[in-house]
Amino acid sequence: MRQVIGLLLIIGAIWGCKELYKYWDTVKARKQAEDRGGAPPPTAAATPTALPGLPSNLESTLLAAQKQGAAGLKNWLKLYRAYVSDPRLAAIELDYVVLISSSNPQEARQLFAAVKQRTPTNSPVYPRIKQLEKTYQ
């Protein structure tokens, strides 16, 4: 009889731990959804080239500017910013922020703040903003 009771207690403990883990998982998922502002997780690919907003005829000029580094990207943004829209514009500007952060941290912080302010939480670029946020605030 003692063995049966012991076995039932062990099974009950395992079942209780499993239920507790399920509950913890749902609470964690709910908290993450609240942290995102209730927005669904981004569905677009995180790769900048897959983001919409850049006319295809400007793709080659962007690649050439990226090869030139921060100066080339700055000139490209001056010339073509008006023709590019978010979320691709935000991704390009974040690339530029990262490139200039060591040489011009003040400009990097200002540009990061501008990108962050105009980017909604459901944007595919938002996870990258959250990743860089502690560095540029």
Side-chain angles (χ1 to χ4, degrees):
M1 187 65 171
R2 283 181 138 180
Q3 293 171 342
V4 172
I5 293 174
L7 185 60
L8 287 175
L9 287 174
I10 290 172
I11 291 172
I14 291 172
W15 178 78
C17 289
K18 185 178 174 183
E19 290 298 313
L20 186 62
Y21 180 77
K22 279 194 226 174
Y23 175 73
W24 175 75
D25 221 17
T26 58
V27 169
K28 186 172 96 174
R30 193 176 311 139
K31 172 133 176 54
Q32 287 175 345
E34 288 173 5
D35 289 347
R36 286 191 305 262
T43 55
T47 56
T49 56
L51 297 173
L54 180 67
S56 58
N57 60 338
L58 295 180
E59 193 73 47
S60 60
T61 61
L62 175 61
L63 291 173
Q66 287 172 332
K67 288 179 183 176
Q68 295 173 6
L73 204 51
K74 182 176 185 173
N75 290 334
W76 189 91
L77 283 167
K78 281 182 183 177
L79 289 172
Y80 300 111
R81 177 179 270 130
Y83 306 107
V84 184
S85 61
D86 283 329
R88 187 69 187 267
L89 177 61
I92 294 167
E93 288 177 333
L94 289 175
D95 290 342
Y96 177 65
V97 164
V98 170
L99 288 174
I100 65 166
S101 61
S102 60
S103 62
N104 194 345
Q106 184 63 29
E107 183 183 357
R109 278 190 219 100
Q110 288 174 348
L111 185 55
F112 178 81
V115 171
K116 182 182 174 189
Q117 184 178 15
R118 74 170 192 260
T119 305
T121 58
N122 62 350
S123 170
V125 180
Y126 192 73
R128 185 166 181 213
I129 289 174
K130 291 305 278 183
Q131 179 185 16
L132 296 171
E133 188 173 41
K134 292 179 183 170
T135 306
Y136 296 104
Q137 294 220 336

